[in-house]
């Protein structure tokens, strides 16, 4: 009976400790990018609770939605080969009350866009993960996982994207499982 009590006690400790596990507190955002000719438009969505962390690095008094929009303007870059594409617009879109959605359009001078650099949220949440999808002509061309160590997506070679994306998601899954005591238990 004593052994059963010890096992039950250990299970209780693991269950209580799992409330503090970091595996389920990862900061995440999502985007869909649509290419048309020499322009690309992205719709970026993030939970409002994630945006509030931006106040750690900003003493701003503006609303969270506008603060996130500014964060994107400063930390998202689109290129066509080596040339930086101009941001044509940035606007807030309608989203559920607990989310923020921003649309950004970039226009490139001579070539089609072929890379996106995404650094938004990474200063306040280094473990932030941004899931991006690229579309053209109504078709999904590829997916990419932006992280603190992989903040540039060069989609000029779509064949290489699929393989890299798979391994990026696999690595995040391994980190998720190993980073949470509730998964290990």
């Amino acid at each position: 009976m004593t052994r059963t009590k010890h096992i039950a006690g250990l299970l209780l400790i693991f269950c209580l400790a799992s409330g503090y596990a970091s595996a389920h507190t990862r900061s995440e955002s999502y985007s869909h990018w649509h290419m048309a000719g020499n322009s690309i438009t992205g719709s970026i969505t993030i939970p409002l609770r994630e945006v509030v962390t931006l106040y750690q690095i900003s003493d701003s008094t503006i609303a969270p939605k506008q603060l996130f929009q500014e964060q994107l303007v400063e930390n998202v870059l689109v290129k066509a080969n080596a040339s930086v594409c101009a941001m044509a617009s940035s606007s807030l879109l309608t989203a559920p009350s607990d989310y923020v959605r921003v649309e950004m359009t970039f226009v490139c001078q001579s070539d089609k866009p072929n890379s996106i650099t995404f650094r938004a949220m990474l200063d306040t949440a280094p473990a932030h993960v941004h899931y991006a999808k690229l579309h053209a002509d109504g078709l999904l061309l590829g997916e990419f996982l932006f992280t603190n160590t992989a903040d540039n997506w060069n989609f000029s070679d779509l064949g290489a994207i699929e393989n890299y994306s798979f391994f990026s998601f696999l690595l995040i899954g391994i980190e998720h499982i190993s980073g949470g005591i509730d998964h290990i238990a």
Side-chain angles (χ1 to χ4, degrees):
M1 188 70 165
T2 305
R3 185 174 186 187
T4 305
K5 286 183 182 180
H6 283 83
I7 292 172
L10 283 173
L11 286 174
L12 179 63
I13 289 170
F14 278 125
C15 289
L16 292 174
S18 70
Y20 297 105
S22 63
H24 295 284
T25 59
R26 183 178 300 277
S27 175
E28 298 175 342
S29 57
Y30 311 88
S31 65
H32 289 270
W33 294 88
H34 298 272
M35 286 197 313
N38 288 359
S39 69
I40 188 167
T41 299
S43 174
I44 300 101
T45 305
I46 188 169
L48 185 58
R49 71 178 183 279
E50 304 296 338
V51 175
V52 175
T53 63
L54 290 174
Y55 289 102
Q56 295 173 10
I57 61 167
S58 173
D59 57 355
S60 178
T61 58
I62 63 173
K65 292 179 181 186
Q66 284 80 20
L67 185 61
F68 181 63
Q69 184 179 13
E70 286 181 7
Q71 174 77 192
L72 290 173
V73 168
E74 294 171 8
N75 292 288
V76 176
L77 181 70
V78 173
K79 288 185 177 180
N81 298 318
S83 301
V84 174
C85 302
M87 184 183 319
S89 66
S90 171
S91 57
L92 290 168
L93 298 178
T94 303
S97 62
D98 52 343
Y99 284 86
V100 178
R101 185 170 294 136
V102 176
E103 182 177 85
M104 304 176 79
T105 299
F106 295 85
V107 177
C108 306
Q109 288 298 322
S110 58
D111 293 319
K112 294 170 103 175
N114 66 353
S115 74
I116 299 171
T117 301
F118 189 93
R119 294 282 317 155
M121 301 300 297
L122 294 174
D123 290 336
T124 57
H128 183 80
V129 176
H130 181 80
Y131 303 93
K133 292 185 177 188
L134 177 65
H135 306 265
D137 300 322
L139 300 173
L140 176 64
L141 300 179
E143 298 175 305
F144 191 78
L145 186 64
F146 288 99
T147 64
N148 204 16
T149 57
D151 62 358
N152 185 55
W153 181 13
N154 185 337
F155 45 85
S156 58
D157 181 14
L158 292 176
I161 291 173
E162 292 171 357
N163 293 333
Y164 180 79
S165 182
F166 170 76
F167 289 112
S168 296
F169 284 105
L170 181 65
L171 179 62
I172 290 294
I174 291 169
E175 289 175 3
H176 175 86
I177 292 168
S178 65
I181 196 165
D182 58 331
H183 294 298
I184 295 169

